[in-house]
Amino acid sequence: MTKLYLIRHAEAEGNLFRRMHGQYNSRLTEIGLRQVKLLAKRLAEIPFDAVYTSDLCRTRQTAEAVTATHGLTARLDPRLREVAVGSWENRTFGDLELHEPEALEAFRHRPEEWRLDGAETWADYSARFAAALRDAAEAHPGGTVAVFSHGCVSSGGLHRILGIPHNSAGGDNTAVCLLRYEDGRFSADYLYDNSHLPAELSSHARQRRWRELAGGSIHLWFREPTAADRELYDPDFLPPAGHETRIAMRGNEPIGCVCWRGDTVSLLWLRPDCRRFHLGDQLLGEAWMAMRASGQTVLRAGIPTANVDAISFLAHHGAVPEQMDDAYTVLRLSLAVPYPVD
């Protein structure tokens, strides 16, 4: 009998920025890195014989919870990658909820029915995942193996091999499933356990609190500005000329904007009544994703030093001071992905 600890990756950019990251190669967030440390403590005394992981960055970073403490090298298996979602890649959940609600509902709850040009079907991705899991188990008979993968693909795979209901979220970030493999069959001791995470570091618990505060969806989408948007802004926070600007939409309602040029965010603004729901993360994410796509490797923001809330917000995302005086602080954060994929 072989034991397999199946572990979802820690919180990554798509989880925080509320974007559909299938095989987009995102990295862990600052919260995700803290989750990995707690996961490492949980797994420290387990005598692993091998570590398998998806080759995407967010799983490889999470696998360091075992490789760094057990002296093992992660074995990369692309079959453990998240679902390839075609044209949905890197789109916001708010965009999909508003413009493709039926398809999104099928993706989340009826994966066998979900179809999208350029995307994998449930039959395809669940089969490749199940094969990877089976191969890992059979390579270590009687051993103990750690397998790091993603929420939707692992849920689809477990739906196939165990017959359990599909859960597109695949449990909390760093949630652990303990599986057994014997005589060619899988069974589960437990599924999606996140008991190593306090509520303040649980991605699911934090998102539930945000939804409660917001009284509904916390998902935004973004569009180009129009002349009608001028009435949206506080007079002190108008978009600067010559900068890229995106209007943040909650459903059909404009609630803010983000502006940038080159590697610098010049404006990050939310309507005052929308500032308690952690929606600013998604505004930052819109600029973050666009900058990375254009080839930028760092993101900068210049902020009045007296604006401690804005400085704290960016520091929470890993920004560090680049220049600072009594009047003005320039913060810099890296957009680099530690484990690139060809």
Side-chain angles (χ1 to χ4, degrees):
M1 182 271 295
T2 303
K3 290 184 179 180
L4 298 101
Y5 286 80
L6 174 61
I7 303 154
R8 187 188 179 197
H9 64 77
E11 183 181 89
E13 294 165 344
N15 305 122
L16 181 63
F17 298 152
R18 309 312 298 146
R19 304 179 84 94
M20 181 67 80
H21 282 177
Q23 297 188 2
Y24 179 94
N25 196 31
S26 61
R27 71 185 194 193
L28 298 187
T29 67
E30 294 300 303
I31 290 289
L33 295 173
R34 293 170 66 187
Q35 291 173 343
V36 169
K37 291 180 179 179
L38 293 176
L39 178 66
K41 290 182 180 179
R42 172 176 180 160
L43 303 177
E45 302 303 320
I46 298 174
F48 290 108
D49 298 291
V51 177
Y52 290 80
T53 179
S54 152
D55 59 343
L56 296 180
C57 180
R58 55 195 187 269
T59 43
R60 295 180 67 178
Q61 285 185 286
T62 308
E64 292 173 7
V66 173
T67 58
T69 56
H70 289 68
L72 296 170
T73 299
R75 308 181 191 204
L76 307 185
D77 191 338
R79 295 177 298 174
L80 296 170
R81 282 187 181 188
E82 185 57 288
V83 179
V85 295
S87 62
W88 283 11
E89 200 68 71
N90 204 26
R91 286 175 64 181
T92 67
F93 288 117
D95 180 17
L96 295 175
E97 285 179 350
L98 183 68
H99 298 110
E100 300 191 48
E102 294 181 1
L104 184 61
E105 178 72 10
F107 177 81
R108 287 171 167 169
H109 302 294
R110 303 184 309 281
E112 298 96 328
E113 301 175 16
W114 183 67
R115 297 289 185 277
L116 185 69
D117 288 345
E120 292 180 284
T121 65
W122 173 82
D124 291 335
Y125 69 75
S126 64
R128 65 164 164 86
F129 176 88
L133 209 61
R134 189 177 303 275
D135 287 350
E138 293 183 348
H140 305 278
T144 302
V145 179
V147 179
F148 292 85
S149 191
H150 305 259
C152 188
V153 71
S154 60
S155 177
L158 293 178
H159 180 43
R160 171 184 283 269
I161 65 177
L162 297 177
I164 61 175
H166 179 72
N167 171 7
S168 65
D172 206 348
N173 292 116
T174 69
V176 180
C177 303
L178 177 54
L179 308 179
R180 296 177 185 267
Y181 183 78
E182 190 170 18
D183 297 329
R185 299 178 63 87
F186 286 98
S187 61
D189 283 13
Y190 58 78
L191 297 172
Y192 306 130
D193 182 80
N194 69 343
S195 57
H196 55 285
L197 295 179
E200 64 270 19
L201 291 182
S202 162
S203 302
H204 283 187
R206 289 160 59 229
Q207 290 165 19
R208 282 194 297 271
R209 288 198 303 273
W210 300 343
R211 283 192 292 269
E212 290 169 0
L213 286 170
S217 175
I218 56 169
H219 294 148
L220 305 183
W221 61 283
F222 297 86
R223 61 167 173 79
E224 297 281 346
T226 68
D229 291 318
R230 292 182 178 180
E231 297 179 1
L232 170 68
Y233 310 116
D234 184 304
D236 295 329
F237 295 99
L238 293 174
H243 290 228
E244 295 285 340
T245 299
R246 299 292 182 272
I247 303 300
M249 303 289 293
R250 188 180 180 208
N252 288 308
E253 182 181 20
I255 65 166
C257 71
V258 58
C259 307
W260 66 92
R261 183 166 64 183
D263 67 359
T264 302
V265 173
S266 49
L267 177 63
L268 192 74
W269 183 84
L270 271 174
R271 212 171 58 195
D273 61 313
C274 296
R275 294 177 184 174
R276 298 182 297 116
F277 317 140
H278 289 264
L279 300 179
D281 295 331
Q282 296 176 63
L283 268 75
L284 179 64
E286 178 71 5
W288 186 308
M289 294 290 111
M291 286 183 185
R292 180 182 286 157
S294 70
Q296 302 294 341
T297 58
V298 297
L299 181 154
R300 291 183 170 87
I303 301 170
T305 300
N307 191 345
V308 294
D309 288 342
I311 292 173
S312 176
F313 169 76
L314 287 168
H316 179 74
H317 291 278
V320 297
E322 185 175 68
Q323 301 175 29
M324 182 169 55
D325 57 35
D326 291 342
Y328 214 64
T329 295
V330 177
L331 296 166
R332 181 191 75 252
L333 61 83
S334 172
L335 300 179
V337 177
Y339 294 115
V341 172
D342 293 334

